[in-house]
Amino acid sequence: MTIYNYYSLNEAHKARGVVVVIDVLRAFTTAAHAFDVGADKIYPVATIDEAFNLRQSIPWALIMGEDLGNKVGGFDFGNSPAEISNQNLDGKILIQRTTAGTQGIVQVQGADQLLAASFVVASATGNFIQTLKPSLVSFVVTGDSYGRDGDEDRACGEYIEALIKGMYPNPDKFSNRVKSSSVGMTVSAGEIATVSANDLELSIQINKFDFYMPVIFDDGALIIIKGEQK
C-alpha cells in the first residue's frame, strides 16, 4: 500500500520517499517546454546570485526564471512556457531560478527519488512512479507561497496520485482548478503583467509531453533531466 502526503513549500524539507515537486504556473511547465525544444539539462538553483555564479563556471549556459514573477536583468529568458516554446535550445544547458518551483527542489532532503512536475508531464510522471512501486509518495505544492492558495499545484498532485492508483480521472476536472486557483484568476484578470494568457493555456495542456523530469545529483549539483518512457 502506498501512502500519499502533501506538503507546502515551507514544508518541503519534510518530504520523503518519492518526492514530486510541482509548479504548474509556471516553472515546471516552462522546464518541460524547454526540454521539448531541445534543452539537454536544467540546473535548478535557489538564488539569483547562484544562477550568475553557476553561469561563470558554465559560460555557455543560458539562464531562465524570475524573481517575484518578474524577469531578472541579465537572465536570457523569463519564466514563460510561451517564450521558451518558441526557442531553439537544441543541446543547450539551462540554469533555472524561480520564486517557488526551484525553491521546492533545493529544499527537499533525503528523497528516494526526486521529480519536477506539472500538468504537461503528469501522465508520464505517474507512469514512472508506478514502476517504482513506492511505499511513500510526497507531493510538494510550491504554489501556496506568498498568500496564494496553491490549488493549481494541489490539483496536479491529486491528478498524478489518481494515475498512480490506476484510475482514469477526467482531466478537465483538474485543469479547471488551475483557472479557479488564486493565481489562475489573477492571471485571467490580467493582473500579472509578466504572465500571459498563453502561459496559462499552455500550463493546462494535460499530458502534452511523453517524458517525465527526474532530478539527479551530479558532481555536487542538482540537475533536472528528461526521463523517457520505456
Side-chain angles (χ1 to χ4, degrees):
M1 177 180 175
T2 302
I3 297 172
Y4 299 89
N5 290 329
Y6 287 78
Y7 295 95
S8 67
L9 177 58
N10 290 334
E11 299 170 327
H13 63 282
K14 299 179 182 179
R16 293 294 184 271
V18 174
V19 180
V20 186
V21 181
I22 302 173
D23 191 335
V24 172
L25 287 171
R26 298 162 285 169
F28 300 142
T29 302
T30 302
H33 277 274
F35 284 125
D36 182 57
V37 294
D40 180 52
K41 53 188 174 182
I42 300 171
Y43 287 81
V45 297
T47 70
I48 295 169
D49 285 343
E50 283 181 79
F52 287 127
N53 289 339
L54 183 56
R55 183 161 65 180
Q56 287 185 348
S57 62
I58 315 174
W60 56 90
L62 302 171
I63 306 177
M64 65 180 181
E66 47 77 26
D67 181 47
L68 298 176
N70 300 309
K71 183 177 177 180
V72 178
F75 278 22
D76 298 282
F77 308 109
N79 185 37
S80 167
E83 178 186 19
I84 287 294
S85 64
N86 288 319
Q87 308 300 317
N88 179 359
L89 299 178
D90 192 28
K92 297 293 186 182
I93 293 174
L94 297 177
I95 300 164
Q96 185 178 33
R97 188 278 171 187
T98 66
T99 305
T102 66
Q103 307 302 318
I105 287 180
V106 301
Q107 290 176 33
V108 171
Q109 304 170 11
D112 297 330
Q113 171 72 61
L114 183 57
L115 297 153
S118 60
F119 271 119
V120 293
V121 294
S123 180
T125 303
N127 290 340
F128 173 68
I129 295 173
Q130 276 186 325
T131 68
L132 302 176
K133 297 181 171 55
S135 59
L136 176 63
V137 177
S138 298
F139 295 99
V140 178
V141 175
T142 67
D144 65 353
S145 52
Y146 298 94
R148 302 181 305 180
D149 61 21
D151 195 51
E152 73 284 357
D153 294 340
R154 177 89 188 199
C156 184
E158 291 175 1
Y159 179 69
I160 294 172
E161 178 183 340
L163 294 174
I164 297 169
K165 291 176 176 177
M167 302 167 65
Y168 299 93
N170 179 357
D172 292 340
K173 172 185 174 182
F174 296 87
S175 63
N176 287 338
R177 288 170 58 184
V178 178
K179 294 181 178 181
S180 64
S181 68
S182 58
V183 68
M185 289 190 292
T186 301
V187 171
S188 297
E191 296 176 12
I192 305 179
T194 59
V195 186
S196 71
N198 286 339
D199 284 340
L200 179 60
E201 291 306 314
L202 288 173
S203 296
I204 57 175
Q205 292 183 346
I206 297 183
N207 305 326
K208 179 177 177 63
F209 303 125
D210 61 358
F211 57 84
Y212 56 98
M213 299 190 296
V215 183
I216 63 173
F217 191 72
D218 183 56
D219 196 25
L222 292 165
I223 306 173
I224 307 172
I225 62 173
K226 183 179 179 181
E228 300 287 359
Q229 297 279 52
K230 296 182 179 179

